[in-house]
Structure formats: C-alpha cells, structure tokens
Amino acid sequence: MYQQSFLTTIKQLIQNNFSQKNVSTVITLFQNPRISIPGIFVALLLLITACQNDNIVGSSFIPVEPNVQVDTLLIEGFEPENLMTFTGNHAFFSVGDYNDELFGNMNAVGYIAPGLVPPQPFQINDDAEMYILLFPQNFYGNQEGSITFGLHYIEERWRSTAINKESDISFDPVPFDTFTIDTDSDSVAIRLPQDWVDRYRDEFFNFDDEDGDRNQNLVENEFGFAIVPQEGDLMVGVNGTIIEFDQIGAISYSGTRLLVRNPAFGGNGDGDDNGDNGQALLDEEDDDEFLSFSIPFRGWAYTYNVDNESGISSSLNPVYNTFEKVIGIDLADTFDKFQDQNISRAELVVFEDMDLLESTLPANHERTTTGRVQFYRLEEVDLDFIVTRPPLFEPLRNNNDGSYRVNLTETIRNLQLGASFPGKLYITSGPNNGLLIPNLIVTDPDNPRFPKLIVTRLDPQEN
C-alpha cells in the first residue's frame, strides 16, 4: 500500500516534467517488485539528470549557416614613384659595380671621412703607420668574382647626413692607391701614404689652437676618401662603425675605421700592406712597448646609379629598399566598397615574379634579398621629406608562390567605425640599411598574380 501511494505521487510528478515515453519507462520500472524504494530514487535521479534542459544545441535546434562570400578585387590605381632618401650613416654603405641581367648595371661609390679620438692617452709617433680597415659583409653579384677599387682624396666638404643617391661629391680623379675585395674577404687593410699620416697627425690629431675647435678644424679641412670601383662584377656592402665598451669603460671600436700602428710594435715599416686581411693586424699580440688604437670615421655614405633596365617589361615594377622606385597603392575607393559589409577577413596580396628573378641569375651569382617587403602609409605631405617612420606592415615572402600578404581586417573594421586611412600604401623591398636590395612586383592586370584584395564577408541573406 505504501509503495502504491508513493508510485502515484511519483507518476504525477514526472508527468509534469517528462515526455509520455519517459513516463511509461519510469512506471514500468517502478512496478517491478524487485526494485526497492532506494533503487527507485536512484533511477529517478538518473532520469532527471539525463532529461534536464541545459540549452545545449540538440535535435530541436538546427543552426542556419551564414552565406559566406569571398570577393577578389584587382587593385588598380597604383603607380611607381621615387621618394626622398638618404644614403649616409646607415648600418652599411655599398660600393662596387655589377651588371645585373634583370635590373641593369649597378654602380656605387663610397665615401668615408676620418674622425678623432682624444690625444691623451693616445699618440701618433712620427713614423707611425695608419691603415683604413674595411669590413665587407654582403656580396651582390658573382660569388666567385672580385672587384678592384681605387682610393681617391675627396676635394670638398660634405656631410654624410645630407648625401643621397645622386649627390655629386668632387674627388681627385687619380687614385692614390688600389685594392681588391672578393667574397672571401672578411676584412681589408689599406695602408695610407705617409705624407697623409704626417698631415693628419700634425694638423688635426695634435691640433693645439686654444681658440679653435679640434673637431671643427678636421671637418673644415680634411674631407676623407672616395672608394671608386674600377674593374669587376661585384657589389659589396661594407659595415659601418660599432662602438663597444670594455670592462673599465674605455671605448674600443669595431668595423670600418682607421688603425694606428706605432713602430715600436715591430711592423714592417716599409711594406705595402694594401689588400691584406685587416683582422690579421688586430690579432697580432701587443707588447709592452707598443700602443695600437683605432679611430672611428665621423661619417660614411655612398652614391649609386642603375642603368639599362632592359630586362624588365612594362607589366612588372622594380622596387628598391632605398625608396627609389617604390609602388604606391591607393586603397580609398576599394575600402569604400565594404563600408556596410560584415567583414570576416580582408587580405592584401602582392606577388614578386619568382620565375624571372631566378631565371636571370647565372650560376654562382646572387642578389641581396631579405625575404620580405615593407609597406609604409604616407600622405602627400610626407613625400617632401625623408621617410623616417617605421613600416606599417612587413610581411614575409611565401616561398610557394612568391606572395606577400597583409591582413587588413582590423583596418577595414576601424574605417567602418569612423576611423580614417589618409594617404597611400608604399611598397619597398626591405629596410633602407645601406645595401642595395631590388625586387620585382607583378603589375600586369592580365596576370593572375596581379595585386588584389581578397575579402571574406558574411551575407545575412540566404542563398
């Protein structure tokens, strides 16, 4: 009787919460005489747990998938431009001559101007030797070739921070010495003429005019050296000066610089050391009677020109890292087309012509490359000044198809919220670091690798 009364109560309870099928299952289970009251409670608890509605998607809710649209828009309205640039006091300076089958003949002349260090505790003896140390670190061209340079005295004052690729710096047309660099050269030492050493020591290093400025005297009267390519098929990137500090705070220098060797060290004193490995001079052990020290260059720069780009068709655009021949892309009209769209992803894609870049390199020849391009956002007013801001995007190359991809999703979303995107995007071939780095961007509208904007959006309308 007690079990029958309990069963009636349970039946009314579950009829209010479960389907008829579940009610029948429970009643059948409870009418089994072998099931005790505790067993009934356990079964009821399991059933309630299993049938609890917790809003998890089930068979009664079928999601409606959005209509995903992918739009590919060819980018039009881009054009090659030349932006202002400078070539002084970068991490490197370029020198050399190389006839690139694709990009034309490249020729670069380097300029270096000596600086000063305090005369104490340093000194330059009357018969001291002085060397120009050059540290080449990048080689563009024939990796089995070499290049011969002439060293010329510069004949006019110049400032490294004002030099650009087309600057005209006057130097003596007759070199006072020559030297050669190949791809195995990690450093080169060129001994300076003794008459120049004596003049530098007496008029500049030991300058003692109480009313004059020692550094200003040097700037106004000593203009340095031009490094002019003579014969060869190699472009060389020479590193600039790096300042280092030893444990006691004294300054030492590495990289391109002047080296003073006082004769007590036991130098040959009569040899022609031009073209010797410069590091060998630095690796020699000092003795108690010898004082050797380095003097940094106060500035370095280079000028260059590129002629006869006969290998490049009108459907391709060369770009350089020096801001010469960049590509400007105006995306304003393209952005307006998606002002009211539900954008999931937007990607700008440009391609380099990998096949042509590779097929125009002879065996054992290499071009300098960074494996990336840089996108700068510049307004019209910015074009009158040297670009000093960092790039907005710096995508890596996809080695499978030669593409460079930039995610513009957040840019478009911000524009939809009222932000602005003034100016254009300008593409360069890499950082402006003193090396020459060319690239070739596809701009033929009939080419499937034409620049494009790929937009993925969600259309609320059903198919």
Side-chain angles (χ1 to χ4, degrees), residues 201-218:
R201 180 191 63 239
D202 297 336
E203 298 184 17
F204 308 117
F205 192 85
N206 293 332
F207 182 75
D208 59 359
D209 186 349
E210 295 182 358
D211 298 325
D213 181 89
R214 185 166 172 261
N215 286 288
Q216 188 62 27
N217 176 53
L218 180 72

Side-chain angles (χ1 to χ4, degrees), residues 63 114 122 139 152 163 165 171 173 185 200 203 208 230 237 264 276 284 363 369 388 406 410 423 431 446 461-462:
F122 305 115
F139 303 96
H152 302 246
I163 300 301
K165 64 177 289 290
F171 52 83
S185 302
Y200 176 84
E203 298 184 17
D208 59 359
Q230 291 185 343
D276 284 355
E284 294 176 346
T369 180
T388 58
V406 173
E410 288 303 314
D446 295 326
Q461 302 299 322
E462 295 184 5

Side-chain angles (χ1 to χ4, degrees), residues 135-253:
F135 288 81
Q137 293 186 350
N138 181 273
F139 303 96
Y140 178 159
N142 186 357
Q143 302 301 298
E144 295 182 348
S146 62
I147 181 79
T148 299
F149 296 94
L151 269 177
H152 302 246
Y153 292 121
I154 297 176
E155 298 179 328
E156 65 176 326
R157 184 174 175 178
W158 60 282
R159 290 188 299 115
S160 56
T161 54
I163 300 301
N164 60 45
K165 64 177 289 290
E166 298 176 343
S167 295
D168 184 13
I169 302 176
S170 177
F171 52 83
D172 188 338
V174 179
F176 65 83
D177 216 330
T178 61
F179 64 96
T180 300
I181 292 178
D182 58 36
T183 55
D184 292 327
S185 302
D186 57 3
S187 56
V188 178
I190 307 102
R191 186 175 177 182
L192 288 164
Q194 195 60 42
D195 57 349
W196 186 92
V197 176
D198 294 340
R199 176 173 174 267
Y200 176 84
R201 180 191 63 239
D202 297 336
E203 298 184 17
F204 308 117
F205 192 85
N206 293 332
F207 182 75
D208 59 359
D209 186 349
E210 295 182 358
D211 298 325
D213 181 89
R214 185 166 172 261
N215 286 288
Q216 188 62 27
N217 176 53
L218 180 72
V219 169
E220 293 178 353
N221 297 286
E222 173 50 50
F223 310 127
F225 316 100
I227 304 172
V228 183
Q230 291 185 343
E231 184 179 2
D233 55 352
L234 197 63
M235 293 291 297
V236 181
V238 181
N239 82 321
T241 300
I242 302 172
I243 298 178
E244 298 177 344
F245 296 88
D246 65 16
Q247 294 181 352
I248 62 174
I251 298 177
S252 61
Y253 300 93

